[in-house]
């Protein structure tokens, strides 16, 4: 079968970035009900935008510095679809003014890292995105 014919069998929805539901046990325990986060991979355009936002270039030396804390917060803010860290009522309730502040308040460092890693994996950053075909 040709590459074109194979691709024509796919629907556009099948090419959407994957989603996953994850429970946050610590928050579930606090709430006395399951705290489920719906996460989704992030497309390349949005990832490029985030990377540009958290990067600083020294024009003299051409060195690039990336604020990795802000990078993780931006990826989490974008990749977590539900609950939304951009919910104004929730931010107001907790007395924070930005989604990043809400993420830092709600989640432990380990929880943030775990969410970041899951979103990156759903975005295609894992060891299984390509597979070498070995000749016999």
């Amino acid at each position: 079968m040709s590459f074109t014919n194979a691709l024509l069998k796919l629907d556009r929805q099948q090419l959407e970035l994957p989603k996953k539901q994850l429970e946050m046990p610590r928050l579930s325990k606090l709430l006395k009900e399951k705290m489920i986060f719906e996460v989704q991979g992030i497309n390349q355009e949005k990832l490029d935008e985030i990377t540009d936002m958290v990067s600083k270039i020294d024009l003299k030396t051409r060195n690039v510095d990336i604020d990795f804390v802000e990078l993780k917060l931006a990826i989490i803010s974008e990749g977590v679809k539900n609950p939304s860290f951009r919910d104004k009522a929730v931010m107001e309730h907790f007395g924070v003014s930005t989604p990043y502040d809400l993420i830092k308040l709600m989640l432990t460092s380990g929880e943030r890292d775990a969410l970041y890693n899951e979103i990156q994996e759903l975005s295609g950053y894992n060891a299984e995105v390509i597979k070498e075909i070995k000749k016999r």
Side-chain angles (χ1 to χ4, degrees):
M1 177 182 304
S2 77
F3 180 68
T4 301
N5 288 338
L7 287 177
L8 290 174
K9 289 183 175 185
L10 291 175
D11 291 327
R12 186 177 180 99
Q13 291 83 4
Q14 291 175 286
L15 297 174
E16 289 180 3
L17 289 164
K19 294 179 183 176
K20 188 184 274 191
Q21 290 190 335
L22 306 167
E23 181 184 359
M24 286 289 181
R26 182 184 63 86
L27 293 175
S28 293
K29 186 176 178 182
L30 288 172
L31 291 168
K32 296 181 173 76
E33 65 180 82
K34 285 192 176 191
M35 181 64 180
I36 306 295
F37 283 72
E38 182 179 307
V39 297
Q40 183 174 18
I42 302 172
N43 67 37
Q44 188 63 54
E45 183 179 353
K46 190 63 176 177
L47 285 171
D48 289 345
E49 183 181 310
I50 290 170
T51 303
D52 287 346
M53 181 181 71
V54 301
S55 301
K56 293 175 181 67
I57 301 172
D58 183 324
L59 296 176
K60 289 182 183 177
T61 63
R62 298 270 197 234
N63 288 339
V64 177
D65 287 323
I66 297 175
D67 184 336
F68 286 103
V69 172
E70 191 170 338
L71 175 70
K72 285 182 181 182
L73 292 170
I75 298 252
I76 292 167
S77 179
E78 183 65 32
V80 174
K81 300 303 181 185
N82 192 30
S84 174
F85 289 110
R86 295 181 172 112
D87 187 308
K88 293 190 187 303
V90 176
M91 287 192 290
E92 188 175 300
H93 174 77
F94 286 109
V96 297
S97 56
T98 70
Y100 295 2
D101 290 337
L102 183 59
I103 293 167
K104 290 188 282 189
L105 177 69
M106 281 185 60
L107 304 175
T108 66
S109 179
E111 290 166 340
R112 289 192 301 265
D113 283 349
L115 275 176
Y116 169 81
N117 290 336
E118 289 286 345
I119 294 164
Q120 287 292 80
E121 186 171 314
L122 292 171
S123 301
Y125 292 97
N126 60 49
E128 300 191 15
V129 294
I130 58 173
K131 181 178 175 182
E132 179 182 357
I133 305 298
K134 296 183 181 187
K135 293 182 181 180
R136 293 181 181 188

